[in-house]
Amino acid sequence: MEMATDIFRDLCQKHGIAMTHQRQVLFETLQSMYGHPSPEDVYVRVKEKVPAISLATVYKNIHLFVDSGLLREVSVHHGTLRVETNQHPHHHLICSECNQITDIDQGELGFTPGRTKLANGFKVERYAVDVIGICPQCQAKQTN
Amino acid sequence: MEMATDIFRDLCQKHGIAMTHQRQVLFETLQSMYGHPSPEDVYVRVKEKVPAISLATVYKNIHLFVDSGLLREVSVHHGTLRVETNQHPHHHLICSECNQITDIDQGELGFTPGRTKLANGFKVERYAVDVIGICPQCQAKQTN
DNA sequence: TTGACGGACGATAATAATTATCGTTCAATA
DNA sequence: TATTGAACGATAATTATTATCGTCCGTCAA
Ligand SMILES: [Mn+2]
Ligand SMILES: [Mn+2]
Ligand SMILES: [Zn+2]
Ligand SMILES: [Zn+2]
């Protein structure tokens, strides 16, 4: 039987990152959390186990985990406020490599988001679909 | 024939906000812009017409426009980094009133986002659907 | 047309979130 | 177990955004 540390060590190896005590506690803490916590939220929880940890370390490792595919962040969008200038109903292509956002018309999606009321009583105003993937330019770069 | 100022005045009246010169220029500048500009981007452009305008005014009025439904922002998500703790494929309900984010399983959506390659050569990794509307709690508050 | 008044403006200080820097410590591996 | 580069913690710096506040202007009633 393999202990937790060895399991996490393997996971790190698989993703090509070094294993540290802080990373293990951070990752396991996240697995025990619910919802969509902020780095600060995570920091508070991790500190219970590793009181000396720095908030900067939490930020650095969340980004490391996201970049190496161990974790996912909620929104891939720009971290800053952006105004929509396209008035027509449309959705977005988001390149996970360069974060470029491109408009795409509803018709080109290949499916149609419905407009019904959902089971739990949530009143739907509209659907916003993000198609996440790799843009043509970044595909070209990768094939070099 | 009605001039631009009168048209914008009517628009403001319809949305219950006061008409000012700065607001008119800001709004018309935005209509002439393409894509998903940041407040700073907009500020630079508006300054060409109203050199004395303050960046704070741009922020204040973008928010005013968004709140009164004249404009839309690209992402309704939290303005800060959030970690996804739910490993299962799922989407999000976002309340436009309180900004609460709730997970929703793909099956409950009522339609299935496809996984094909899109026309323009964009390579799809996954779909992230945001259902934007009013959560049950906020609906209750509104009915008071 | 003219005040009066409340809201909007501009300047700028303050705050919040995130990132950079740097000296110290630790994990990998030979 | 010694070496070494990467990771850590403390903290300064940066960036984006918001709050404050005195002045100015748009609205509306007279
Ligand atoms: Mn768009
Ligand atoms: Mn989620
Ligand atoms: Zn790209
Ligand atoms: Zn709500």
Side-chain angles (χ1 to χ4, degrees):
Chain A
M1 150 197 156
E2 217 175 18
M3 68 183 82
T5 299
D6 295 323
I7 295 175
F8 185 68
R9 188 186 305 278
D10 289 350
L11 191 62
C12 286
Q13 213 146 43
K14 197 176 309 175
H15 287 265
I17 68 178
M19 189 272 193
T20 71
H21 179 57
Q22 286 88 339
R23 284 178 187 169
Q24 183 182 352
V25 174
L26 176 59
F27 189 75
E28 288 172 356
T29 299
L30 268 165
Q31 286 189 310
S32 79
M33 293 182 80
Y34 175 79
H36 310 102
S38 68
E40 186 72 38
D41 294 336
V42 179
Y43 173 60
V44 168
R45 291 286 305 276
V46 170
K47 250 170 80 157
E48 295 168 7
K49 297 281 176 62
V50 185
I53 201 170
S54 165
L55 178 58
T57 298
V58 172
Y59 269 99
K60 283 184 279 201
N61 285 318
I62 286 176
H63 284 135
L64 180 74
F65 288 160
V66 168
D67 291 345
S68 57
L70 230 70
L71 273 190
R72 184 167 286 179
E73 58 181 309
V74 176
S75 177
V76 198
H77 289 172
H78 290 113
T80 70
L81 174 62
R82 297 303 174 111
V83 183
E84 181 59 74
T85 65
N86 184 344
Q87 303 287 73
H88 305 291
H90 69 280
H91 302 283
H92 291 119
L93 303 177
I94 299 175
C95 178
S96 56
E97 197 71 23
C98 65
N99 288 322
Q100 180 191 98
I101 301 181
T102 313
D103 291 349
I104 179 176
D105 281 340
Q106 180 130 313
E108 298 177 59
L109 266 184
F111 60 92
T112 309
R115 303 266 156 185
T116 46
K117 188 156 186 159
L118 295 173
N120 54 358
F122 188 91
K123 187 167 149 201
V124 178
E125 286 173 350
R126 64 188 177 95
Y127 288 82
V129 178
D130 292 339
V131 184
I132 294 155
I134 313 287
C135 74
Q137 297 85 47
C138 288
Q139 285 178 57
K141 268 178 221 149
Q142 286 177 346
T143 323
N144 287 351
Chain B
M1 150 196 158
E2 216 175 21
M3 68 183 82
T5 299
D6 295 324
I7 294 176
F8 185 67
R9 188 185 306 276
D10 289 351
L11 191 62
C12 287
Q13 212 146 43
K14 197 175 305 173
H15 287 265
I17 66 178
M19 189 273 193
T20 72
H21 179 58
Q22 286 87 340
R23 284 178 188 169
Q24 183 182 351
V25 174
L26 176 58
F27 189 74
E28 288 171 356
T29 299
L30 269 164
Q31 286 190 310
S32 78
M33 293 182 79
Y34 175 80
H36 310 103
S38 68
E40 186 72 37
D41 294 335
V42 179
Y43 173 59
V44 168
R45 291 285 305 275
V46 171
K47 250 169 80 156
E48 296 168 7
K49 297 282 177 62
V50 186
I53 202 170
S54 166
L55 179 57
T57 299
V58 172
Y59 269 99
K60 282 183 279 200
N61 284 318
I62 287 176
H63 284 135
L64 180 74
F65 288 160
V66 169
D67 291 346
S68 57
L70 230 68
L71 274 190
R72 182 168 286 180
E73 58 181 309
V74 176
S75 177
V76 198
H77 290 169
H78 289 113
T80 72
L81 174 62
R82 297 304 175 109
V83 184
E84 181 58 75
T85 65
N86 183 345
Q87 304 288 73
H88 305 290
H90 68 281
H91 302 282
H92 290 119
L93 302 176
I94 299 175
C95 178
S96 57
E97 196 72 22
C98 66
N99 289 320
Q100 181 191 97
I101 301 181
T102 313
D103 291 348
I104 179 176
D105 283 339
Q106 180 130 314
E108 297 178 60
L109 266 186
F111 60 92
T112 310
R115 303 266 154 187
T116 47
K117 187 155 188 161
L118 294 174
N120 53 359
F122 189 90
K123 188 166 148 201
V124 178
E125 286 172 349
R126 65 189 176 91
Y127 287 82
V129 177
D130 291 341
V131 184
I132 295 155
I134 311 287
C135 75
Q137 297 86 46
C138 287
Q139 283 179 58
K141 266 177 224 150
Q142 286 177 345
T143 323
N144 286 351

